Amino acid sequence: MILGVGIDVVDVDRFAASLARTPALREKLFTPAERERGTASLAARFAAKEALAKSLGAPRGLRWHDGEVVTLPDGRPELRVTGTVAALAESRGIRVFHVSLSHDAGIASAVVIAEG
């Protein structure tokens, strides 16, 4: 059963300017593995983290690193949740998150579906 849906879009150039203006933002938002990615991919991962929060009702107190986008061997993205995100998901009966990422024409987007 679907328990939540979130979507977000990010302007890649604007996101790149934010990272350049505030270098510590990269470490605040992304895990070490995520930081290895290029700007468009980071923008899509930021959109995924925002969409993840929206799928949970956008509560306060979630930590950025507690939702990580990893790439499976076949190239598909997957959300790995720990800490604050995992605890909230468990309390709401969410067993799995589905994620889709895209970036094209200067826009990065993500959709997250929370399933119980």
Side-chain angles (χ1 to χ4, degrees):
M1 170 172 36
I2 294 174
L3 300 174
V5 176
I7 185 169
D8 197 66
V9 296
V10 175
D11 181 295
V12 175
D13 288 340
R14 185 173 173 207
F15 187 74
S18 294
L19 291 177
R21 186 175 52 253
T22 311
L25 195 56
R26 186 181 295 262
E27 288 183 17
K28 178 182 179 180
L29 299 175
F30 301 107
T31 66
E34 289 173 316
R35 286 182 219 139
E36 302 293 319
R37 314 287 287 188
T39 304
S41 183
L42 286 178
R45 279 156 173 71
F46 178 72
K49 291 171 187 257
E50 288 284 320
L52 174 61
K54 290 173 183 177
S55 78
L56 292 166
R60 292 178 184 237
L62 298 179
R63 294 189 183 115
W64 292 107
H65 287 213
D66 290 350
E68 178 181 24
V69 179
V70 297
T71 303
L72 298 176
D74 65 4
R76 289 180 298 135
E78 179 179 82
L79 277 169
R80 295 219 178 124
V81 299
T82 58
T84 59
V85 176
L88 183 58
E90 183 178 348
S91 76
R92 297 197 174 163
I94 297 168
R95 294 180 298 108
V96 65
F97 290 98
H98 305 277
V99 62
S100 180
L101 308 175
S102 185
H103 48 81
D104 188 33
I107 299 292
S109 62
V111 174
V112 172
I113 298 171
E115 183 180 357

